[in-house]
Amino acid sequence: MKTSINIIQPDDWHVHFREGEMLKVVTKYSARVNRRCIAMPNTTTPITSSIQAINYKKLIESNSNSINFEALIPCYLTNSLNIDDFTYALQKKIFVGGKLYPSNATTNSQHGVTDIKKIYNIFEIMEKENSVLLIHGELNRDDIDIFDREKYFIDEELYQIRNTFKNLKIVLEHVSSDYGVDFVNSNQNIAGTITPHHMLLTKDDVFKNEDINPHHYCMPVVKNEKDLIALRKAACFDNNKFFLGTDSAPHHTNDKVQNQSLKPGIFSSPCSIELYATIFEEENALGNLEQFSSINGPLFYGLEINKETLTLDKRSKEINEFTEEGNIRIKNFSIDKKINWKVL
Ligand code: DOR
Ligand code: ZN
């Protein structure tokens, strides 16, 4: 039995750092183990211009407590983007790609895209620049069940995007269903990120009787056992189209426990790589962890694989219930079972 594993240093291809005091508190937890992170641009004022991206990157890196840490910023795509600035920022690698939030799909997505066909001109530019389109793949419509949003997005939007822009690199973010896994596996130029929580929770952990567990509520919502199994298989064994993206999304506890303002998001960065290692070990696939955490992502994004390594030891990792600093109080993601791996 292995008691220690050494992997190329990971990257997290999907994290939320927020702003202000929250950013100052949470960034170090991701920088603790990752060399690079994609910082999601759904800040209160979304990141839509090159100058905002430059400033946001600086802000994150200077709060990371690490000299090597790099934040990569995608552009928050909107109906009214400044196309010249966007193209310039892609060419200068100021933007690592473009993030598509369908309007009102999740936190701060009210500025998102209402009619995706209307931004096909943006996809055309991205395809030409060999850039990456990151997608929150959910269709939020009154007639669509919350558990079917990913499937509807794939059927009604993603097939068409895929077929229209065959060379556009697409990441289906936080894949949450077996349907999503199948789509990624059966199409070209598309990859998927998988969160730890979608491999650990099912809807029973969120919705019980009339109650909701706000700390396990996220978008896309966690689904059924069959989806969890498909995601574990995708991460651990179908091992080149999927990579690490925690979707660590901190919210102040007030935004979680006061039901009228229940915000979706799970804060997992204090134990992210440890959770993934625990899952891979359960699947007897520890040997494939590095591929998922440190190789598939950079290969897909066309970036260098990290040179440093990270060691995880087989010992149980204790997690505090909350991350608390100053005015910030965030519930840390926790699970019933032990986390078996620890970065020293
Ligand atoms: O659960 C989520 N929280 N999913 C998202 O897509 C956004 C995130 C957030 O920003 O809170
Ligand atoms: Zn997210």
Side-chain angles (χ1 to χ4, degrees):
M1 197 184 49
K2 280 197 184 291
T3 55
S4 176
I5 50 170
N6 201 30
I7 56 172
I8 297 169
Q9 191 177 8
D11 304 297
D12 188 340
W13 301 94
H14 185 138
V15 197
H16 298 266
F17 291 118
R18 313 298 190 204
E19 298 137 271
E21 211 183 336
M22 180 71 95
L23 180 147
K24 289 189 168 56
V25 171
V26 301
T27 305
K28 57 182 172 293
Y29 291 101
S30 293
R32 164 189 83 96
V33 290
N34 298 293
R35 229 263 312 147
R36 295 169 288 206
C37 284
I38 290 196
M40 285 296 139
N42 64 334
T43 38
T44 336
T45 303
I47 312 288
T48 55
S49 69
S50 55
I51 186 76
Q52 283 175 293
I54 291 167
N55 290 336
Y56 194 44
K57 178 181 171 73
K58 272 194 209 141
L59 181 69
I60 295 167
E61 289 173 0
S62 64
N63 280 284
S64 69
N65 286 2
S66 161
I67 38 166
N68 285 329
F69 182 73
E70 203 183 325
L72 306 170
I73 319 288
C75 179
Y76 187 124
L77 303 178
T78 69
N79 303 330
S80 55
L81 213 56
N82 178 333
I83 298 292
D84 288 343
D85 180 65
F86 175 67
T87 310
Y88 161 83
L90 286 183
Q91 287 167 347
K92 295 284 175 207
K93 310 284 180 216
I94 296 167
F95 283 134
V96 70
K99 171 86 188 219
L100 169 63
Y101 285 104
S103 170
N104 294 323
T106 186
T107 311
N108 293 342
S109 60
Q110 64 275 27
H111 310 281
V113 178
T114 39
D115 181 352
I116 295 173
K117 305 268 164 347
K118 293 216 170 108
I119 63 156
Y120 269 29
N121 62 324
I122 294 178
F123 299 163
E124 206 176 310
I125 294 166
M126 294 179 69
E127 184 178 43
K128 196 160 144 248
E129 298 299 334
N130 195 24
S131 181
V132 178
L133 173 64
L134 299 80
I135 299 185
H136 183 111
E138 289 196 291
L139 211 55
N140 179 7
R141 226 175 38 211
D142 285 349
D143 61 321
I144 302 176
D145 189 285
I146 193 169
F147 295 102
D148 294 332
R149 286 179 181 177
E150 186 166 278
K151 179 182 182 304
Y152 274 84
F153 183 86
I154 290 170
D155 288 347
E156 295 191 14
E157 298 287 354
L158 193 48
Y159 268 110
Q160 219 166 329
I161 299 173
R162 174 66 301 144
N163 292 335
T164 313
F165 304 99
K166 294 206 165 52
N167 295 317
L168 176 60
K169 290 197 276 185
I170 297 174
V171 180
L172 183 59
E173 303 275 4
H174 39 55
V175 182
S176 68
S177 62
D178 58 354
Y179 198 80
V181 168
D182 288 347
F183 182 83
V184 171
N185 273 330
S186 52
N187 282 274
Q188 300 271 313
N189 280 336
I190 181 154
T193 55
I194 304 183
T195 75
H197 47 273
H198 286 98
M199 295 192 282
L200 288 161
L201 306 174
T202 65
K203 61 185 182 190
D204 294 342
D205 297 303
V206 189
F207 307 98
K208 268 206 195 114
N209 307 320
E210 303 286 276
D211 277 345
I212 208 176
N213 179 342
H215 304 300
H216 289 165
Y217 175 64
C218 61
M219 289 297 172
V221 287
V222 297
K223 300 191 166 60
N224 294 304
E225 187 79 18
K226 71 173 172 56
D227 300 298
L228 177 149
I229 291 168
L231 291 164
R232 281 182 170 232
K233 179 171 176 293
C236 298
F237 302 107
D238 298 342
N239 211 244
N240 62 32
K241 299 200 83 177
F242 296 91
F243 43 85
L244 190 157
T246 57
D247 199 11
S248 183
H251 289 287
H252 200 278
T253 41
N254 289 345
D255 289 328
K256 280 296 203 177
V257 291
Q258 290 165 2
N259 249 353
Q260 57 286 42
S261 64
L262 175 56
K263 299 249 172 91
I266 289 177
F267 181 56
S268 60
S269 55
C271 56
S272 53
I273 193 67
E274 292 86 348
L275 287 170
Y276 282 117
T278 302
I279 294 163
F280 273 69
E281 185 183 38
E282 283 172 356
E283 298 295 324
N284 280 323
L286 263 183
N288 294 338
L289 176 63
E290 180 182 66
Q291 186 83 31
F292 175 81
S293 66
S294 319
I295 295 175
N296 294 341
L299 287 184
F300 192 81
Y301 274 88
L303 296 170
E304 270 185 35
I305 293 170
N306 293 327
K307 297 196 171 52
E308 303 293 314
T309 58
L310 183 82
T311 304
L312 287 128
D313 282 342
K314 176 113 198 197
R315 2 173 134 194
S316 73
K317 172 155 171 106
E318 304 299 328
I319 297 286
N320 293 334
E321 193 175 358
F322 297 99
T323 293
E324 284 181 291
E325 267 183 62
N327 296 313
I328 299 295
R329 188 165 192 262
I330 312 157
K331 173 83 171 67
N332 296 327
F333 182 50
S334 61
I335 46 174
D336 293 339
K337 57 192 166 197
K338 267 194 178 166
I339 301 175
N340 296 329
W341 292 89
K342 187 171 180 175
V343 176
L344 293 184

